[in-house]
Amino acid sequence: MAPMLTFFQSFPVPLQAAALLVLSNLFMTFAWYGHLKSLAQTPWYTAAFISWGIALFEYLLQVPANRIGYTQLNVGQLKIMQEVITLTVFVPFSVLYMQQPLKLDYLWAGLCMVGAVYFIFRGA
């Protein structure tokens, strides 16, 4: 495990944070929305407990991601990075797992995110 950790730490800090946030968002998206498909027939409290279990893994990745990222990025930059990653993870999840139609609105939302990234990072 140590060589893998050393290899990971050789990447730039923003890339380390982004990679952990991508993994974190995969868990978060399944915790928040996966139960709508896979646990639709179970009581809501069962889905909530299962989602909390999945969310634990999200937090085990998200907290280190933000701590690593905060060494070089400010809180606003971390938040916008997380939101862009959330949309990037959510769209394929929505289309592929939840079988929702791909809408042009996702593109417009993504363009708004590009603007947010520009404004939050332009002074960096």
Side-chain angles (χ1 to χ4, degrees):
M1 183 73 165
M4 178 72 141
L5 185 58
T6 304
F7 177 71
F8 181 71
Q9 290 174 336
S10 69
F11 292 118
V13 165
L15 187 57
Q16 290 178 45
L20 287 171
L21 286 173
V22 167
L23 294 172
S24 166
N25 270 272
L26 288 168
F27 284 103
M28 179 194 73
T29 302
F30 274 95
W32 281 24
Y33 303 106
H35 64 87
L36 297 174
K37 179 177 180 180
S38 59
L39 300 172
Q41 304 304 315
T42 62
W44 71 267
Y45 50 84
T46 302
F49 282 115
I50 292 170
S51 292
W52 283 344
I54 295 169
L56 170 64
F57 294 102
E58 185 257 334
Y59 278 98
L60 292 173
L61 294 164
Q62 175 266 338
V63 170
N66 284 325
R67 286 182 175 224
I68 291 167
Y70 193 62
T71 64
Q72 291 185 8
L73 303 169
N74 65 45
V75 175
Q77 291 169 329
L78 284 169
K79 182 60 180 170
I80 293 302
M81 179 188 293
Q82 189 272 329
E83 293 299 336
V84 169
I85 290 168
T86 296
L87 186 60
T88 304
V89 168
F90 179 77
V91 171
F93 170 85
S94 176
V95 173
L96 299 174
Y97 183 75
M98 297 298 292
Q99 299 175 345
Q100 298 292 307
L102 182 61
K103 296 182 179 180
L104 199 53
D105 290 344
Y106 293 133
L107 173 64
W108 305 133
L111 289 174
C112 289
M113 291 288 192
V114 169
V117 168
Y118 169 76
F119 286 112
I120 206 75
F121 282 93
R122 71 179 167 162

